[in-house]
Amino acid sequence: QSERGRRLSQLVSRAASAGAAQVTVDVRRGAGERRIRLAIERLDGATWWLVAGSLFFAGALCVAAGLVALWVSPRARLARTFAVVASAAALFTFTFFDYHTSYRLVPLFLVSFAMLPGALCMLALRLPDDAPVLRRFPWLERATTVAGIAVAAYFALPFMLDRPIPRLHELWSGVLGASFLFFVLAFLVRYLLAQGHRRDILRALMVSIAPPFAAVGLVLAAEPLVGRFSHADVLVYPTVALAPLGVAFAFVRYDLWGSRVLRSEEHTSELRPT
């Protein structure tokens, strides 16, 4: 958020605390300037639960799915990668509403915002087993994590120092959207190339992952080009809650975490990476 945006938010917050029904602001675009009045309306209970409550619920599901992954198989690479994605997604959804309202948790939101794209791409290359590129370049996940941490610091430090957030922040929604679309495309390609038991595993994940991730990806990828439209992104994010549920079910059903505790006799065939 820019310094001007923060000043506007503070102005609106003070006016709302004073019981004002509107605020007057001067908007400058190019050489032109005009004065507009912005109405102040408080969220009713139903709207709060629809927007904020659904995000908190989605975050809680992500936390639960990540904990299950680590509990079942803490040493499996897929379980650890999934736990990282679940943690970043949970932090993102928990702080998303605050990022648009009180701004108390903005640094945490910026960290999750920066880390999520790389984590999603790594998970796409690990489902249901490591893609050839990960076997050829085993350092790729560590490099992605380091890059995410660097971007997180690049976003969060200026905000904490009360300076304008870099221009890259405005474009990062497109990067995040592209990572969701990459996940969906990589998932579909691996599904089409898979055979037998591997295809059964990916089919179990298809309904829960592909539709919500594609919807989020399209909304975010279009934002840098057409601007933020309505509140479609706020309403789309809770649909991601379907993903951790579907992934957790499929992981337990087919023992993708490699615990060998939950695998039935009919699913002991070796998986061949694609």
Side-chain angles (χ1 to χ4, degrees):
Q1 186 189 34
S2 65
E3 178 62 27
R4 293 179 181 177
R6 267 184 277 183
R7 289 202 300 268
L8 175 61
S9 299
Q10 293 169 358
L11 172 65
V12 173
S13 179
R14 288 194 297 267
S17 299
Q22 63 182 18
V23 293
T24 302
V25 297
D26 294 326
V27 179
R28 181 179 303 167
R29 177 173 293 180
E33 183 175 322
R34 61 185 180 131
R35 178 163 295 183
I36 61 176
R37 291 182 175 85
L38 302 176
I40 298 177
E41 296 182 3
R42 295 188 178 275
L43 290 178
D44 56 39
T47 304
W48 190 94
W49 280 109
L50 175 64
V51 178
S54 59
L55 288 169
F56 298 157
F57 179 68
L61 291 177
C62 291
V63 170
L67 291 176
V68 168
L70 293 178
W71 173 68
V72 172
S73 186
R75 296 184 179 180
R77 287 176 295 183
L78 177 57
R80 293 199 300 266
T81 300
F82 176 76
V84 170
V85 173
S87 300
L91 187 60
F92 184 90
T93 52
F94 278 140
T95 58
F96 186 79
F97 185 75
D98 175 86
Y99 177 73
H100 290 84
T101 52
S102 64
Y103 311 113
R104 295 185 179 92
L105 304 176
V106 170
L108 295 179
F109 172 83
L110 294 174
V111 169
S112 65
F113 188 44
M115 297 292 295
L116 195 52
L120 278 172
C121 292
M122 288 301 101
L123 182 60
L125 299 177
R126 282 248 155 93
L127 278 176
D129 41 47
D130 285 3
V133 66
L134 285 182
R135 296 196 301 274
R136 184 176 181 181
F137 304 107
W139 48 264
L140 188 59
E141 185 170 27
R142 292 192 296 272
T144 302
T145 301
V146 171
I149 293 173
V151 174
Y154 186 61
F155 288 165
L157 288 178
F159 180 88
M160 296 172 67
L161 296 174
D162 201 26
R163 297 176 181 175
I165 296 180
R167 169 70 176 171
L168 179 62
H169 176 265
E170 300 178 13
L171 305 176
W172 201 253
S173 291
V175 175
L176 180 56
S179 69
F180 275 100
L181 295 178
F182 172 81
F183 187 102
V184 173
L185 291 175
F187 184 88
L188 292 176
V189 169
R190 303 196 77 185
Y191 172 76
L192 294 174
L193 295 176
Q195 296 179 355
H197 184 50
R198 292 187 77 256
R199 175 164 285 205
D200 293 337
I201 295 173
L202 293 173
R203 186 183 297 114
L205 296 170
M206 179 71 71
V207 175
S208 62
I209 288 182
F213 277 28
V216 174
L218 290 173
V219 169
L220 290 175
E223 186 175 305
L225 300 177
V226 300
R228 184 180 298 275
F229 48 94
S230 182
H231 296 288
D233 50 352
V234 179
L235 298 178
V236 165
Y237 287 129
T239 65
V240 181
L242 297 175
L245 290 179
V247 170
F249 169 78
F251 279 21
V252 173
R253 176 70 177 84
Y254 295 101
D255 193 25
L256 297 188
W257 287 314
S259 68
R260 301 186 181 277
V261 175
L262 303 171
R263 180 175 296 159
S264 62
E265 291 296 328
E266 61 179 334
H267 295 129
T268 56
S269 60
E270 180 180 359
L271 299 181
R272 295 181 180 179
T274 300

